[in-house]
């Protein structure tokens, strides 16, 4: 789980072009093309909920991130 407001850096570790799609209750965001190994993209999870993430070139390669509110101090 991640807290609301957490920024995640996704890095292309392959020598082939990649891209990411992040889908949640508030909509879908597609990363810019990550054309070379080492290129990256940041995404900040502003709202709580479950987010499905997959590679543009391999939609079967998926993961899920759950974002929760921080507990009040």
């Amino acid at each position: 789980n991640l807290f609301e407001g957490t920024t995640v850096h996704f890095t292309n570790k392959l020598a082939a072009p990649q891209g990411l799609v992040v889908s949640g209750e508030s909509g879908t965001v597609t990363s810019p093309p990550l054309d070379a190994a080492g290129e990256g993209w940041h995404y900040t999870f502003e709202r709580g909920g479950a987010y499905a993430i997959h590679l543009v070139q391999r939609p079967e390669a998926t993961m899920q991130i759950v974002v929760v509110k921080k507990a009040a101090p």
Side-chain angles (χ1 to χ4, degrees):
N1 291 352
L2 300 175
F3 289 119
E4 288 180 341
T6 299
T7 299
V8 176
H9 182 76
F10 298 94
T11 303
N12 181 3
K13 298 282 188 179
L14 304 174
Q18 299 293 320
L20 294 159
V21 177
V22 177
S23 301
E25 294 174 12
S26 59
T28 299
V29 176
T30 302
S31 74
L34 306 176
D35 291 328
E39 288 187 357
W41 175 64
H42 297 299
Y43 183 78
T44 301
F45 292 87
E46 298 287 348
R47 303 175 102 180
Y51 292 82
I53 301 169
H54 72 268
L55 294 172
V56 171
Q57 293 78 359
R58 293 183 52 216
E60 71 280 3
T62 64
M63 72 171 137
Q64 182 173 339
I65 291 178
V66 176
V67 179
V68 298
K69 292 184 180 287
K70 287 185 180 179

